[in-house]
Amino acid sequence: MIFIDQLDISGKKLLFRVDFNVPLDGTVITDDNRIRANVPTFRYALEKGAAVIVCAHLGKPKGQVKPELSLKPAADRLAELLGVPVELAPDCVGPEVESMAAKLQAGQVMMLENLRFHKEEQGKTEADRGDFGKQLAALADIYVNDAFGVAHRANASVVDVPRFAKQSCAGFLLKKEWEFLGEALEKPNRPYVAVSGGAKVSSKLGILNNLLGKVDDIIIGGAMANTFIAAQGHNVGKSLYEADLIEDAKAIMAKAEEKGSKLHLPVDFLYAKSIEDTAAAGECAAEAIPGDAVVLDIGPKSIEQFNQVIGAAKTVMWNGPMGFFEKPAFAEGSLALCRRMAGIDGALTIVGGGDTDAVVHQAHLADKFSFISTGGGSFLEFLEGKELPAFKALKESFK
């Protein structure tokens, strides 16, 4: 795989695939972090005398033109950040777009309209995707993938464009993800601690199995911990858990011991009578959850124990909150661990996943972490040890 700074891009037209799937309130972007993340690559291209064409998706229009999912707010915000005009094309393929791309000069920027207005973008097979990728590739001299957020998706703009482009490479954001995550997985400084939370064991099975034996400690929290508590033979009350994964949880606990990775489960919880409650009804030990209780956060003893493990770490990989952090009464577990990670001197601290990212920003500690991944599904699949379609396509195009 080659990167943008390894190619001569002066005087060339560059087609960038980025992830501008930003949250909107009407036409107002409420979080522009994904746009900001690509700015260094764009600035580099413009300084080197390239013309920039940006393509991205927004929301789930499912192959239909939906004006409320236009990329205009993203184009306007990018123009503000770059300090140059960003013209939004009326579509992403077709004669008018081709004409606009042909007229684009060095130092200029244009953005294509939402890729997902075309059903071919998300076609399941090469036949479903047709020549959509080929049409996109024809707009530029060089294709640059700088969208880790969609690196796990075999979309036309991710896997087909590199096949038809004259040259293909990765941008600085994709390079940064590749290097940080790769370093954490391949040659971590130890102790290496993985912190895994969120709702479901099912979405993390692959990761847990892949990390066992590679990490020194695995901390499990969030609702997914309930399945492990149940696997130990304890009652979990009315709490969310996956009964069909009890045996998988037992297998992970056994494998952790066999592989030499220490598994840390909560020893206490905050609980409520209902998931709708905005205040905790009390605290309980992990082996004494009341029958009518819903556990919604880890308790103070768990926080203390988890923070001791985190505090000794040299590498921390964190995905998934410790509780129902959206409600202030059940946010302390996630925020406390976040503060501890942010306070470790000299450690590599990596955060991935939308909810985990939200916790970090809620704590106003984003600048205290080594790296915050822009990928959700891509981050998870990378941790599972899978080769992402975007990386595979770029490597094959280089060959």
Side-chain angles (χ1 to χ4, degrees):
M1 199 158 78
I2 58 170
F3 302 97
I4 189 171
D5 53 356
Q6 294 174 272
L7 293 177
D8 177 11
I9 61 172
S10 177
K12 304 282 178 65
K13 287 189 177 72
L14 274 56
L15 174 68
F16 285 85
R17 177 46 160 120
V18 296
D19 181 10
F20 282 1
N21 192 23
V22 293
L24 291 175
D25 182 359
T27 58
V28 178
I29 296 171
T30 56
D31 181 350
D32 68 354
N33 281 316
R34 286 183 172 174
I35 300 176
R36 288 178 177 275
N38 288 111
V39 166
T41 316
F42 291 142
R43 285 213 171 111
Y44 173 84
L46 295 172
E47 285 166 6
K48 290 292 182 181
V52 169
I53 303 170
V54 183
C55 69
H57 74 276
L58 179 61
K60 297 178 179 179
K62 297 182 178 178
Q64 297 176 15
V65 175
K66 295 192 174 180
E68 68 273 18
L69 292 177
S70 168
L71 280 167
K72 186 169 191 321
D76 292 344
R77 184 66 187 119
L78 182 60
E80 290 172 9
L81 292 169
L82 290 176
V84 298
V86 177
E87 187 174 9
L88 180 69
D91 201 343
C92 45
V93 291
E96 190 172 352
V97 178
E98 290 166 14
S99 175
M100 288 176 68
K103 293 173 186 171
L104 203 66
Q105 300 295 310
Q108 294 182 332
V109 184
M110 68 178 274
M111 187 181 292
L112 307 183
E113 189 49 284
N114 195 334
L115 291 166
R116 290 187 181 173
F117 284 174
H118 291 258
K119 70 180 188 304
E120 291 83 2
E121 164 66 0
Q122 292 186 285
K124 301 284 185 197
T125 65
E126 204 174 308
D128 292 337
R129 298 191 298 271
D131 65 353
F132 187 61
K134 189 175 185 179
Q135 290 180 68
L136 288 170
L139 299 174
D141 303 302
I142 300 171
Y143 168 75
V144 186
N145 190 323
D146 211 23
F148 187 69
V150 292
H152 63 307
R153 300 199 181 279
N155 292 163
S157 62
V158 175
V159 298
D160 291 339
V161 178
R163 291 194 297 118
F164 296 107
K166 297 167 194 167
Q167 284 185 300
S168 297
C169 64
F172 294 140
L173 179 60
L174 206 66
K175 183 180 184 181
K176 195 189 287 188
E177 299 269 4
W178 169 272
E179 289 176 345
F180 269 102
L181 299 183
E183 181 184 346
L185 285 177
E186 297 302 323
K187 46 184 180 184
N189 289 327
R190 297 185 181 277
Y192 178 11
V193 177
V195 181
S196 189
K200 294 182 177 181
V201 177
S202 52
S203 63
K204 307 284 173 70
L205 270 177
I207 296 169
L208 294 174
N209 279 306
N210 189 46
L211 292 179
L212 290 174
K214 294 179 181 175
V215 301
D216 300 292
D217 299 87
I218 296 182
I219 290 170
I220 294 180
M224 66 181 286
N226 302 339
T227 303
F228 287 87
I229 300 297
Q232 291 179 322
H234 303 307
N235 173 48
V236 293
K238 297 188 298 182
S239 308
L240 176 67
Y241 82 108
E242 292 172 283
D244 58 327
L245 290 179
I246 295 286
E247 293 307 314
D248 292 275
K250 287 179 180 177
I252 286 169
M253 289 189 283
K255 188 177 175 184
E257 194 168 335
E258 175 197 323
K259 295 272 190 180
S261 295
K262 190 168 182 185
L263 204 64
H264 302 268
L265 295 170
V267 294
D268 62 344
F269 294 101
L270 295 187
Y271 68 88
K273 297 297 182 181
S274 163
I275 199 165
E276 278 78 37
D277 291 355
T278 55
E283 294 175 16
C284 63
E287 67 271 16
I289 298 170
D292 61 347
V294 181
V295 298
L296 295 174
D297 197 10
I298 57 173
K301 290 178 183 173
S302 299
I303 291 172
E304 185 181 350
Q305 290 186 17
F306 290 174
N307 276 346
Q308 283 180 356
V309 176
I310 290 166
K314 292 296 182 189
T315 303
V316 180
M317 186 86 76
W318 179 25
N319 173 263
M322 295 293 102
F324 196 0
F325 76 97
E326 293 90 345
K327 293 187 177 182
F330 308 109
E332 183 54 26
S334 303
L335 293 172
L337 267 59
C338 180
R339 290 191 291 267
R340 188 67 195 93
M341 288 178 216
I344 314 172
D345 288 330
L348 177 68
T349 49
I350 298 175
V351 173
D355 285 343
T356 325
D357 185 4
V359 172
V360 173
H361 282 89
Q362 190 174 313
H364 304 290
L365 291 170
D367 61 333
K368 301 296 184 184
F369 283 79
S370 308
F371 186 63
I372 298 177
S373 175
T374 54
S378 300
F379 180 85
L380 297 179
E381 290 195 16
F382 198 101
L383 293 193
E384 281 186 49
K386 293 180 178 176
E387 182 170 40
L388 303 183
F391 293 148
K392 187 170 185 281
L394 287 173
K395 286 176 185 176
E396 287 178 354
S397 71
F398 177 59
K399 288 174 191 171

